[in-house]
């Protein structure tokens, strides 16, 4: 509560086992006059601590304002998102088929290692680059209208193309936003 902290010194507010960093940060803000923001895990909660100096008439910092934002739920969501991304990455790489995701301009946004291997490049070399530059001219010329068709109609497309001495069966699927508009496509 306010009455438990207002007007009290930091050592009285923070127990010894939790306050050593906090006291060090408070002293640093008082010494430098610069505000500080940091995160810490305390009593089962993630907190973002803001320390702002209050200079006196001579510019000396004798007081500070300390506020905290509880980040616990945010940290839980971050962890869940990381786990979801790891699961998705594992699923993408588990398939023996090429799998890519692209935007309307044809840029690779995501891909699995099989897709990179079949194109003869490293995965990092694909991402952010236009897909059609990796294909023979004839393949690129015939593929682009099919991708455009999925963006325009939202309908799945299946087709074959020949490259590197092999025939490939391809499928293009839509990924829509909350309004049902096609934002990306997945090619397998």
């Amino acid at each position: 509560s306010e009455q438990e902290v207002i007007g009290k010194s930091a050592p009285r507010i923070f127990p010894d086992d939790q306050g050593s960093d906090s006291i060090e940060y408070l002293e640093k803000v008082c010494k430098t006059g610069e505000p500080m923001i940091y995160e810490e895990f305390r009593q089962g909660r993630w907190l973002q601590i803001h320390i702002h100096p209050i200079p006196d008439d001579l510019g000396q910092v004798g007081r500070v304002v300390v506020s905290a934002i509880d980040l616990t739920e945010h940290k839980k969501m971050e962890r869940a998102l990381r786990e979801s991304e790891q699961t998705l990455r594992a699923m993408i790489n588990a398939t023996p088929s090429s799998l890519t995701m692209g935007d309307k301009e044809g840029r690779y946004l995501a891909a699995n290692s099989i897709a990179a291997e079949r194109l003869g490049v490293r995965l990092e070399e694909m991402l952010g680059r236009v897909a059609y530059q990796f294909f023979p001219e004839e393949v690129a010329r015939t593929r682009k209208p099919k991708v455009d068709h999925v963006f325009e109609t939202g309908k799945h497309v299946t087709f074959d193309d020949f490259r590197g001495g092999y025939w490939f069966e391809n499928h293009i699927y839509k990924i829509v936003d909350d309004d049902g508009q096609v934002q990306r496509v997945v090619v397998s």
Side-chain angles (χ1 to χ4, degrees):
S1 75
E2 286 181 29
Q3 295 158 339
E4 294 173 318
V5 295
I6 292 179
K8 296 193 173 146
S9 64
R12 292 184 63 201
I13 297 170
F14 302 111
D16 289 338
D17 62 334
Q18 295 175 355
S20 59
D21 287 343
S22 299
I23 292 169
E24 179 183 318
Y25 296 148
L26 287 168
E27 290 171 351
K28 183 176 179 179
V29 169
C30 288
K31 183 178 178 181
T32 66
E34 296 293 323
M36 177 178 268
I37 300 173
Y38 66 96
E39 292 179 8
E40 73 178 28
F41 188 72
R42 182 185 294 178
Q43 297 176 351
R45 310 290 300 171
W46 275 102
L47 302 173
Q48 183 181 70
I49 310 294
H50 297 246
I51 306 174
H52 296 275
I54 302 175
D56 61 20
D57 294 339
L58 301 173
Q60 301 297 313
V61 178
R63 297 179 295 159
V64 295
V65 172
V66 179
S67 61
I69 300 171
D70 188 339
L71 298 178
T72 306
E73 291 306 312
H74 180 77
K75 291 287 189 178
K76 286 179 183 176
M77 287 186 288
E78 281 180 344
R79 183 178 38 227
L81 178 60
R82 266 192 316 276
E83 290 171 359
S84 176
E85 288 171 344
Q86 290 168 348
T87 300
L88 180 60
R89 175 65 43 206
M91 287 173 54
I92 287 171
N93 283 319
T95 180
S97 301
S98 294
L99 193 60
T100 63
M101 180 175 63
D103 63 14
K104 190 169 181 119
E105 288 73 39
R107 280 188 302 269
Y108 284 125
L109 303 174
N112 66 2
S113 55
I114 297 294
E117 182 182 312
R118 288 188 178 159
L119 292 174
V121 297
R122 291 189 346 263
L123 185 58
E124 300 79 38
E125 294 174 295
M126 292 176 62
L127 302 180
R129 292 178 63 193
V130 176
Y132 311 117
Q133 72 188 64
F134 294 99
F135 299 114
E137 188 176 326
E138 176 65 20
V139 171
R141 190 173 50 73
T142 59
R143 182 175 280 217
K144 185 173 182 340
K146 292 172 175 56
V147 171
D148 291 344
H149 179 77
V150 174
F151 274 102
E152 291 165 11
T153 67
K155 296 192 185 314
H156 164 253
V157 172
T158 299
F159 64 97
D160 295 329
D161 61 27
F162 186 78
R163 64 182 186 277
Y166 296 96
W167 280 100
F168 291 92
E169 181 180 301
N170 299 279
H171 301 270
I172 305 175
Y173 301 95
K174 66 183 178 183
I175 298 177
V176 298
D177 62 15
D178 290 340
D179 297 324
Q181 299 298 310
V182 180
Q183 295 298 310
R184 294 176 219 88
V185 294
V186 171
V187 181
S188 66

